[in-house]
């Protein structure tokens, strides 16, 4: 089966190159096409490890991780 | 659900509105835009009012058609094909070329502010370890040092995943040599350098691994230790969703369509091989860097960035500032290639130092740090392709492992997934963590690696099928633009005289090869601008969009010039400043396709305002006026005209202005771009030297706005592609974990002697998706194809398949069986 795209809310501090664009109708396609080539970083650490010292990736920077930040918070 | 890419041919065939022009050789003349828009029609959706327009559509060599689209009523009439336009599509010299040539262009590295301090980043000297202490006392006492900022661990609510292996610390764990630790601000660069040497860092070293193959071993030192793989382990939950982690191996990210096993069973011919590519560093001439001037009412950031907006957003988020208090300026920019988004450690450290000292602070990475801060991941790809005797593909299977150091993003499956039609596909992409500098997006991420393997495998398939490689691609590639591009190669190069592999008898063997690329159309809605027209006739464009050195300023001047009928050089372009309307970040070839429609729309609206303001004084109506060749003409009286300046002089106010933001694509269609590159080369089988003698590239990117700029981009991509194929390679020391060649002496980049003859042909491809139909070229411009095309030419020259890059003399001689070692031996990453 094809690796599913995570649907949980991603962390507010997860960043990738595409985080900064507004790709409108094509955002999900971009995420899918660039999936395994996307490099992520954490805005809190400015590095590839999150505050919990685990790696950052869209598949795990989700609600439930201890350092997760709500993207909808004020 | 696998992504379906709709090729141009499919798209054309699927559109009932497409109308074939009767005479393909002489396309039906398209109306030159005459400021006449079609009347509004009721919109089918709840968006802004729309009208129906007929757009030029397709590829000139295939005969242009027309396409009916609904467009917002405030947008200009459709553009004609380039041949019928005055400035768009005409070669134009670089707008800022003279400033650059004379050294007047001010890059971030050139910024000098009163009282400015100079900062130096201090980085880790071990590849893996805990920081026990950092002693900054001696550095702080050095005369001229103004501040030291130490990067500290930010826990927040975070819990360490495995307290047995991860000790809580004031400092982040070090995972690669070169990881930022601290920054120093001083009154001169020399003092900052001296102070950096006085900072004493005590480490508790940990085992490390820098080699991808070694890192995959079960007993390899763990880059990210702790509970592996289990969902819910990541600090209490939210574990991987279908992307496992076992030791240092993260993956696979898996895509499947159809039944690959059945596809291979149905194949008449199967090719199966392994390919290896190396780590390439970005090596931008201007290193990552910032000048930050922190003032209480506004923070001004001069940034070497691909996204002024990304820097403003990060500064606001990290320092809890309103965006209105952050100004980012990128007047000139010395290359990014995908690695310069956001503020990074260097931006955050510079900002902290500026805040601490109440002075502007400049922090540019040095050349060694620039080599470590980012790279294109390496790869080990296992590729299998099945086909019928006529070339029809029946199955593709790709497994790839790559290391982005401490990060992820080493996938390679783009070309295998998106170049050709194949009903059965399986790709599995793995990241391998190592204690090495992080990967970052790099010009067509994953595609040069993937293309090196995939397009050589297609070539190998052609050999096995006894087919001409171009004829095979004609059979399996549905993309109409690439079909035209292949035909151009057949007609314009020496391809028809191609000889069997290894035909030359002497030690110098010559050959030719081709390879193809694919990239994707994405546009960013963060694309706005303002066009001002002043009473003295001057015209200005303002947007926060930045020019990375790709020619964005020139491109935008051409778009405005076309609308006003004045030479591009008369349009003043002010971009790269977040005080102007927001612009798109430049990555993934989105800039041209995103910002040019907004620019044309704003220019059109400003022009309409001008006509409306002056028409009563001219005794006419606005719709009786149009602009051409710098003059305002009367449609009902061709003998009557005024200069633009005479007309603007009648404005009732000092200026008029119009602001526009890019709207959505006219139709949601997934489109791709690409190109085909042809290479002639010579291989010296005694020295192992490969010399590329000629490259012919045929490329498409929608409507080319400035052919000179597009060709310049392709030239650059081709040279970077040759450099990747033959020279560049990060060398890591397994014993120390250091990058051994973190300089431009030992990290070899293509130089003037290695530049071949290059010829480029642009294929116009009108897609009727925006008011300009423009698209970017940065990704598909040669960087994707060259390693594969060189590999195919190498095979044609020698009869030996190069399965590893870079094709250094040592690797070539090994592949030719002239030194001890196995052909195709994996290169050290």
């Amino acid at each position: 089966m094809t690796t599913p795209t995570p649907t949980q809310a991603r962390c507010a501090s997860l960043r990738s190159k595409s985080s900064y664009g507004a790709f409108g109708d094509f955002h999900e396609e971009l995420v899918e096409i660039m999936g395994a080539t996307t490099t992520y970083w954490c805005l809190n650490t400015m590095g590839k490890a999150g505050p919990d010292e685990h790696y950052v990736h869209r598949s795990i920077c989700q609600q439930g991780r201890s350092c997760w930040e709500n993207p909808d918070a004020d | 659900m696998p992504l379906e890419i709709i090729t141009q041919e499919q798209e054309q065939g699927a559109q009932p509105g497409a109308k074939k022009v009767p005479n393909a050789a002489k396309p039906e003349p398209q109306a030159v835009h005459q400021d006449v828009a079609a009347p509004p029609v009721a919109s089918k959706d709840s968006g802004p009012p729309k009208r129906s327009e007929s757009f030029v559509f397709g590829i000139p060599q295939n005969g242009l058609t027309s396409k009916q689209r609904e467009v917002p009523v405030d947008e200009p009439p459709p553009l004609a094909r380039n041949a019928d336009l005055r400035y768009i599509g005409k070669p134009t010299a670089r707008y800022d070329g003279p400033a650059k040539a004379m050294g007047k262009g001010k890059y971030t590295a050139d910024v000098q502010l009163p009282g400015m301090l100079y900062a130096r980043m201090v980085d880790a000297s071990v590849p893996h370890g805990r920081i026990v202490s950092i002693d900054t006392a001696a550095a702080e006492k050095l005369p001229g040092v103004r501040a030291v900022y130490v990067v500290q661990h930010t826990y927040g609510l975070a819990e360490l995943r495995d307290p047995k292996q991860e000790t809580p610390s004031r400092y982040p764990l070090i995972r690669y040599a070169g990881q930022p630790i601290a920054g120093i601000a001083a009154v001169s660069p020399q003092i900052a350098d001296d102070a950096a040497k006085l900072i004493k860092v005590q480490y508790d070293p940990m085992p490390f691994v820098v080699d991808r193959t070694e890192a995959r071993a079960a007993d390899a030192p763990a880059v990210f230790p702790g509970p592996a793989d289990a969902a819910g382990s990541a600090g209490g939950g939210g574990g991987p969703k279908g992307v496992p982690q076992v030791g240092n191996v993260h993956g696979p990210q898996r895509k499947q369509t159809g039944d690959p096993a059945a596809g291979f069973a149905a194949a008449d011919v199967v090719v199966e091989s392994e390919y290896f590519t190396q780590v390439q560093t970005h090596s931008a001439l201007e290193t990552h860097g910032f000048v930050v001037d922190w003032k209480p009412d506004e923070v001004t950031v001069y940034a070497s960035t691909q996204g002024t907006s990304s820097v403003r957003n990060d500064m606001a988020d990290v320092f809890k500032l309103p965006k209105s208090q952050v100004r980012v300026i990128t007047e000139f920019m010395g290359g990014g290639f995908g690695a310069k988004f956001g503020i990074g450690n260097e931006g955050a450290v510079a900002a902290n130092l500026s805040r601490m000292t109440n002075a502007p602070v400049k922090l540019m990475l040095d050349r060694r740090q620039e080599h470590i801060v980012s790279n294109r991941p390496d790869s080990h790809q296992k590729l299998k392709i099945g086909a019928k005797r006529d070339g029809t593909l029946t199955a593709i299977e790709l497994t790839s492992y790559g290391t982005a150091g401490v990060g992820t993003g080493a996938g390679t499956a783009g070309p295998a997934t998106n170049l050709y039609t194949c009903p059965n596909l399986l790709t599995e992409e793995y990241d391998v963590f190592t204690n090495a500098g992080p990967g970052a997006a790099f010009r067509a991420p994953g595609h040069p690696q993937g293309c090196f393997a995939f397009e050589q495998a297609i070539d190998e398939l052609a050999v096995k099928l006894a087919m001409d490689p171009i004829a095979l691609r004609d059979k399996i590639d549905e993309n109409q633009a690439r079909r035209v591009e292949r035909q151009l190669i057949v007609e314009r190069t020496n391809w028809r005289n191609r000889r069997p592999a290894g035909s030359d008898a002497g030690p110098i063997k010559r050959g030719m090869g081709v390879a193809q690329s694919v990239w994707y159309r994405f546009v960013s809605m963060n694309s706005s601008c303002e066009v001002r027209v002043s009473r003295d006739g001057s015209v200005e464009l303002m947007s926060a969009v930045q020019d990375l050195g790709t020619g964005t300023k020139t491109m935008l001047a051409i778009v405005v010039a076309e609308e006003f009928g004045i030479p591009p050089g008369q349009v003043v372009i002010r971009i790269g400043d977040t005080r102007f309307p927001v612009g798109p970040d430049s990555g993934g070839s989105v800039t041209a396709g995103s910002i040019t429609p907004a620019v044309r729309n704003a220019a059109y609206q400003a022009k309409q305002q001008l006509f409306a303001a002056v028409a009563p004084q001219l005794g006419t109506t606005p719709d009786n006026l149009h602009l051409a060749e710098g003059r305002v003409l009367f449609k009902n009286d061709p003998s009557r005209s005024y200069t633009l300046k005479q007309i603007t002089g009648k404005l009732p106010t000092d200026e008029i202005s119009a602001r526009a933001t890019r709207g959505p694509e006219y139709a949601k269609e997934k489109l791709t771009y690409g190109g085909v590159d042809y290479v002639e080369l010579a291989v010296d089988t005694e020295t192992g030297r490969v010399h590329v003698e000629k490259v012919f590239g045929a490329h498409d990117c929608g409507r080319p706005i400035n052919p000179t700029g597009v060709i310049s981009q392709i030239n650059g991509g081709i040279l970077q592609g040759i450099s990747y194929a033959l020279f560049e390679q990060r060398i890591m020391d397994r014993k120390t974990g250091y990058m051994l060649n973190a300089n431009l002496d030992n990290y070899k980049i293509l130089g003037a002697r290695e530049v071949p003859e290059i010829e480029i042909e642009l294929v116009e491809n009108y897609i009727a998706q925006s008011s300009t139909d423009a698209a970017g070229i940065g990704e598909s411009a040669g960087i994707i194809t060259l390693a594969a095309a060189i590999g195919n030419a190498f095979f044609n020259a020698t009869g030996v398949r190069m399965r590893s890059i870079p094709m250094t003399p040592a690797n070539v001689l090994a592949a030719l069986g002239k030194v001890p070692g196995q052909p195709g031996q994996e290169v050290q990453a």
Side-chain angles (χ1 to χ4, degrees):
Chain A
M1 62 172 280
T2 297
T3 304
T5 302
T7 54
Q8 282 184 280
R10 290 178 194 133
C11 178
S13 287
L14 178 67
R15 291 290 183 278
S16 70
K17 186 173 79 168
S18 63
S19 301
Y20 300 104
F23 297 97
D25 289 345
F26 295 95
H27 184 80
E28 289 308 315
E29 282 86 347
L30 184 144
V31 169
E32 202 62 49
I33 283 183
M34 302 314 297
T37 65
T38 302
T39 60
Y40 298 92
W41 63 94
C42 173
L43 198 61
N44 279 317
T45 65
M46 293 295 168
K48 304 294 187 181
D52 64 353
E53 292 289 6
H54 200 34
Y55 65 90
V56 294
H57 190 270
R58 68 179 172 128
S59 65
I60 59 172
C61 292
Q62 310 245 342
Q63 191 167 10
R65 187 166 170 170
S66 66
C67 48
W68 177 81
E69 295 173 344
N70 187 348
D72 297 324
D74 287 335
Chain B
M1 176 86 182
L3 182 71
E4 181 187 7
I5 298 296
I6 299 177
T7 65
Q8 190 65 43
E9 181 182 62
Q10 290 169 313
E11 197 280 341
Q12 283 177 305
Q15 292 297 317
K19 184 176 70 179
K20 186 80 174 176
V21 169
N23 185 343
K26 286 185 68 180
E28 182 177 301
Q30 303 291 316
V32 178
H33 69 97
Q34 296 175 337
D35 307 327
V36 179
V41 296
S43 178
K44 290 177 182 173
D45 53 40
S46 57
K50 292 184 177 175
R51 65 176 196 271
S52 185
E53 290 280 12
S54 180
F55 286 78
V56 59
F57 189 80
I59 300 168
Q61 287 90 337
N62 291 342
L64 293 172
T65 63
S66 61
K67 172 78 74 180
Q68 210 68 22
R69 300 285 201 205
E70 284 194 0
V71 305
V73 291
D74 61 351
E75 291 203 3
L79 284 173
R81 61 183 179 176
N82 275 2
D84 296 327
L85 298 179
R86 178 70 178 87
Y87 297 111
I88 290 179
K90 307 300 179 289
T92 304
R94 191 177 282 262
Y95 181 92
D96 49 10
K100 287 187 172 185
M102 292 187 285
K104 292 180 178 174
K106 187 178 281 186
Y107 294 76
T108 298
D110 298 323
V111 170
Q112 296 290 333
L113 300 175
M116 190 178 79
L117 301 175
Y118 300 84
R120 176 64 66 211
M121 189 79 90
V122 178
D123 53 55
S125 59
V126 301
H128 201 187
R130 300 178 186 89
I131 294 177
V132 176
S133 65
I134 300 179
D135 182 354
T136 63
E140 289 174 19
K141 287 177 186 166
L142 187 70
V145 170
R146 293 289 181 266
V148 178
Y149 175 81
V150 176
V151 177
Q152 299 202 24
H153 204 306
T154 307
Y155 286 103
L157 297 173
E159 300 165 9
L160 294 176
R161 298 168 64 249
D162 185 354
K164 293 177 186 171
Q165 300 186 67
E166 298 169 326
T167 310
S169 168
R170 182 180 169 190
Y171 310 107
L173 192 73
I174 298 302
R175 286 196 169 80
Y176 63 95
Q179 182 173 321
I181 290 177
I184 296 169
V187 296
S188 75
Q190 294 74 23
I191 293 174
D193 282 342
D194 290 344
K197 294 169 188 161
L198 296 175
I199 289 190
K200 298 183 181 69
V201 183
Q202 187 182 354
Y203 299 96
D204 177 11
M206 297 165 65
F208 64 90
V209 60
V210 295
D211 180 89
R212 173 181 24 81
T213 303
E214 292 176 4
R216 288 172 59 185
D219 60 350
V223 177
F224 293 98
D229 184 33
S233 67
K241 302 290 185 291
V243 188
Q245 179 212 351
V246 177
N248 290 320
V249 179
H250 172 259
Q253 295 193 62
R254 194 168 189 272
K255 288 181 183 173
Q256 182 175 340
T257 54
D259 183 344
F264 284 115
D268 296 320
V269 174
V270 173
V271 293
E272 188 170 10
S273 294
E274 296 185 39
Y275 296 86
F276 301 88
T277 64
Q278 79 284 32
V279 170
Q280 177 188 28
T281 69
H282 288 71
S283 301
L285 280 182
E286 183 184 38
T287 62
H288 284 62
F290 295 82
V291 177
V292 180
D293 188 6
W294 189 294
K295 296 259 186 346
D297 55 343
E298 185 175 61
V299 178
T300 304
V301 183
Y302 301 84
S304 179
T305 183
Q306 296 177 234
T308 56
S309 302
S310 77
V311 172
R312 185 171 76 151
N313 291 348
D314 275 9
M315 285 293 295
D317 286 344
V318 170
F319 294 98
K320 311 300 180 198
L321 296 167
K323 288 183 186 177
S324 56
Q325 285 187 21
V326 181
R327 180 186 183 191
V328 181
I329 299 169
T330 304
E331 190 178 350
F332 284 83
M333 203 272 199
F337 309 116
K340 290 181 179 173
F341 289 87
I343 61 174
N345 267 301
E346 56 279 6
V349 169
N352 276 299
L353 289 169
S354 179
R355 185 166 60 169
M356 292 164 71
T357 57
N358 292 315
V361 171
K362 178 191 285 187
L363 198 169
M364 304 298 296
L365 295 189
D366 64 24
R367 183 53 58 187
R368 178 185 61 82
Q369 292 167 333
E370 181 66 16
H371 276 290
I372 295 170
V373 73
S374 61
N375 61 69
R376 182 189 298 286
D378 71 357
S379 75
H380 172 193
Q381 300 172 67
K382 296 178 182 177
L383 184 60
K384 185 178 176 184
I385 302 176
K388 306 297 277 186
R389 293 233 174 270
D390 67 354
T392 304
L393 300 183
T394 61
I396 298 171
E397 194 172 290
L398 169 69
T399 304
S400 75
Y401 291 84
T403 182
V406 295
T408 58
T412 63
T417 307
N418 300 312
L419 256 177
Y420 303 115
T421 303
C422 182
N424 306 299
L425 170 81
L426 173 62
T427 63
E428 294 186 322
E429 300 163 280
Y430 295 85
D431 286 295
V432 182
F433 295 121
T434 58
N435 293 108
F442 193 163
R443 212 166 179 179
H447 284 59
Q449 304 98 298
C451 189
F452 173 68
F454 188 64
E455 278 290 271
Q456 281 209 86
I458 291 295
D459 204 71
E460 197 169 358
L461 184 63
V463 172
K464 214 162 182 176
L465 292 167
M467 289 180 75
D468 178 297
I470 286 184
L472 173 60
R473 289 174 171 88
D474 283 340
K475 171 76 180 175
I476 61 179
D477 186 2
E478 295 183 346
N479 183 280
Q480 285 301 294
R482 282 197 297 269
R483 185 177 297 276
V484 170
E485 287 153 8
R486 286 190 298 274
Q487 188 59 34
L488 284 166
I489 284 172
V490 170
E491 292 170 358
R492 301 274 300 277
T493 72
N494 209 21
W495 184 260
R496 288 194 174 106
N497 298 319
R498 189 168 171 270
R499 300 169 301 163
S503 289
D504 283 323
I508 306 295
K509 300 182 185 302
R510 287 188 159 79
M512 59 187 79
V514 297
Q516 306 194 145
S517 64
V518 62
W519 194 250
Y520 320 97
R521 177 175 176 83
F522 298 113
V523 295
S524 175
M525 300 299 119
N526 286 338
S527 302
S528 300
C529 67
E530 179 183 349
V531 171
R532 284 185 195 164
V533 182
S534 295
R535 192 179 270 155
D536 66 357
S538 59
V539 180
E540 294 170 89
L541 169 80
M542 285 154 286
S543 172
V545 67
Q546 55 291 313
D547 188 337
L548 313 189
T550 55
T552 298
K553 290 173 186 163
T554 314
M555 173 181 71
L556 300 184
I558 290 170
V559 172
V560 176
E562 185 73 37
E563 209 55 36
F564 279 90
I566 58 177
Q570 291 184 17
V571 182
V572 174
I573 302 295
R574 303 189 194 282
I575 63 172
D577 188 334
T578 55
R579 281 191 174 169
F580 302 140
V582 68
D585 296 329
S586 295
S589 298
V590 306
T591 309
S594 298
I595 189 66
T596 58
V599 169
R600 180 165 181 243
N601 297 353
Y604 172 76
Q605 289 161 22
K607 186 173 67 175
Q608 298 307 109
Q609 284 187 42
L610 171 64
F611 289 166
V614 301
Q617 298 178 60
L618 298 169
T620 188
T621 56
D623 59 1
N624 189 39
L625 301 174
H626 72 108
L627 268 161
E629 301 294 337
R631 299 188 73 81
V632 178
L633 308 172
F634 288 66
K635 293 174 186 172
N636 66 351
D637 183 0
S639 66
R640 192 178 174 199
S641 71
Y642 296 91
T643 64
L644 178 63
K645 191 171 181 177
Q646 287 173 320
I647 291 295
T648 56
K650 299 180 184 299
L651 277 171
T653 57
D654 272 354
E655 69 177 25
I656 56 170
S657 75
R659 178 179 168 140
T661 296
R662 195 198 199 287
E665 296 274 87
Y666 292 156
K668 186 177 180 182
E669 294 162 356
K670 297 164 190 167
L671 301 173
T672 64
Y673 315 120
V676 187
D677 288 301
Y678 161 92
V679 164
E680 286 179 18
L681 56 68
V683 181
D684 185 331
T685 57
E686 292 183 343
T687 66
R689 182 171 177 266
V690 177
H691 182 59
V692 177
E693 296 179 323
K694 171 154 189 171
V695 177
F696 181 97
H699 291 256
D700 60 281
C701 59
R703 177 197 297 271
I705 300 295
N706 180 13
T708 302
V710 175
I711 289 171
S712 178
Q713 280 283 288
I714 299 170
N715 286 339
I718 286 170
L719 297 182
Q720 201 166 30
I722 296 172
S723 194
Y724 176 56
L726 302 185
F727 306 116
E728 295 185 49
Q729 180 179 21
R730 185 186 72 180
I731 304 290
M732 298 297 295
D733 185 344
R734 286 186 176 89
K735 301 288 187 190
T736 64
Y738 290 180
M739 180 178 173
L740 292 175
N741 57 339
N743 55 67
L744 290 178
D745 294 331
N746 301 110
Y747 185 91
K748 169 68 176 165
I749 292 177
L750 166 142
R753 287 185 308 168
E754 289 97 24
V755 174
E757 176 189 352
I758 299 175
E759 192 176 349
I760 304 297
E761 187 74 28
L762 300 183
V763 173
E764 296 171 10
N765 191 1
Y766 300 101
I767 55 179
Q769 286 289 6
S770 75
S771 64
T772 64
D773 253 357
I777 189 69
E779 320 294 322
S780 62
I783 182 67
I784 295 176
T785 51
L786 258 289
I790 290 171
N792 289 335
F794 186 100
F795 176 81
N796 182 239
T798 65
V800 174
R801 182 69 63 186
M802 283 300 293
R803 302 192 191 277
S804 299
I805 49 173
M807 299 180 203
T808 58
N811 286 343
V812 167
L813 292 175
L816 295 174
K818 296 201 171 186
V819 292
Q822 296 298 313
Q825 185 180 351
E826 184 176 352
V827 296
Q828 164 64 29

